[in-house]
Amino acid sequence: MLLVILLLFAVTLTAQTTPQDFSIVLLPDTQFYSELHPLIFEQQTKWIVDNRAKWNIQAVLGEGDIVNTPSKAYEWVNADTAIKTLDAAGIPYALAIGNHDYDNVAPSSRGTVAYNQTFGVSRYLSKPWYIGHFGTTNENFYIEFTVNGQRYIVLALEYYPRTAVLDWADDLMTANS
């Protein structure tokens, strides 16, 4: 009986894992890892690289708040170090800016010097999956990747996007429906 159950379980697992299946990893609020636990952040990105084939990982999406205190340079260095693991493996990623990533943790000021020094346009330009950005900075950008012939576009938009940004995103999605 146990053998039958194990065989059924194995068949079920096999049936659920097909070449069409793929994964997207979400990294929510890495701010405390960047601030206090950089090794955890590095272990997360290492896990992504180490498990890329097993889980068919196609992209990594950062949901904002990359750092906790944007004026502390070491937090950006820690985040940069962790994300360089993804760079080395060629895994597409989009790290959206969160409220803690704005200069002085003040999104209303729209200051993004530290964010753009670490995760600005220049970091992404050589990456084949980085497609474009709004304006001259990288608070609003998009990437794309293709899985099984299906093209996916991911937009990373600023915290509380302005009307002009939403119009840009709408135009982009309309042009790429």
Side-chain angles (χ1 to χ4, degrees):
M1 180 66 167
L2 180 60
L3 180 60
V4 171
I5 291 172
L6 288 175
L7 286 173
L8 285 173
F9 182 72
V11 168
T12 301
L13 284 178
T14 302
Q16 292 175 352
T17 305
T18 67
Q20 291 79 26
D21 292 339
F22 67 94
S23 300
I24 296 173
V25 176
L26 301 179
L27 289 176
D29 288 51
T30 58
Q31 66 199 55
F32 296 119
Y33 301 132
S34 295
E35 180 184 32
L36 301 170
H37 308 286
L39 292 179
I40 292 175
F41 199 171
E42 290 176 38
Q43 289 170 349
Q44 287 176 324
T45 55
K46 184 179 181 321
W47 182 93
I48 293 166
V49 170
D50 291 348
N51 287 277
R52 182 181 197 179
K54 177 180 179 180
W55 296 104
N56 195 13
I57 297 171
Q58 296 295 317
V60 176
L61 306 180
E63 298 178 345
D65 290 345
I66 301 164
V67 300
N68 194 43
T69 313
S71 61
K72 293 181 178 176
Y74 76 89
E75 292 186 31
W76 292 106
V77 169
N78 291 340
D80 179 50
T81 299
I83 297 302
K84 280 182 178 173
T85 304
L86 301 178
D87 287 330
I91 297 176
Y93 60 87
L95 303 179
I97 189 169
N99 64 311
H100 281 254
D101 302 321
Y102 284 90
D103 298 347
N104 302 313
V105 192
S108 61
S109 75
R110 297 285 174 197
T112 58
V113 173
Y115 172 81
N116 278 291
Q117 285 174 342
T118 308
F119 295 106
V121 173
S122 61
R123 180 187 194 111
Y124 288 87
L125 274 179
S126 66
K127 304 193 183 327
W129 40 264
Y130 179 80
I131 306 306
H133 57 279
F134 174 82
T136 59
T137 59
N138 215 39
E139 299 89 84
N140 303 284
F141 67 94
Y142 67 108
I143 68 169
E144 72 176 18
F145 56 93
T146 301
V147 181
N148 301 319
Q150 176 66 50
R151 181 174 164 229
Y152 295 88
I153 295 176
V154 177
L155 282 78
L157 301 181
E158 65 192 11
Y159 184 78
Y160 282 116
R162 297 162 285 170
T163 301
V165 169
L166 293 175
D167 290 343
W168 169 77
D170 184 54
D171 289 346
L172 180 66
M173 297 293 27
T174 300
N176 291 282
S177 60

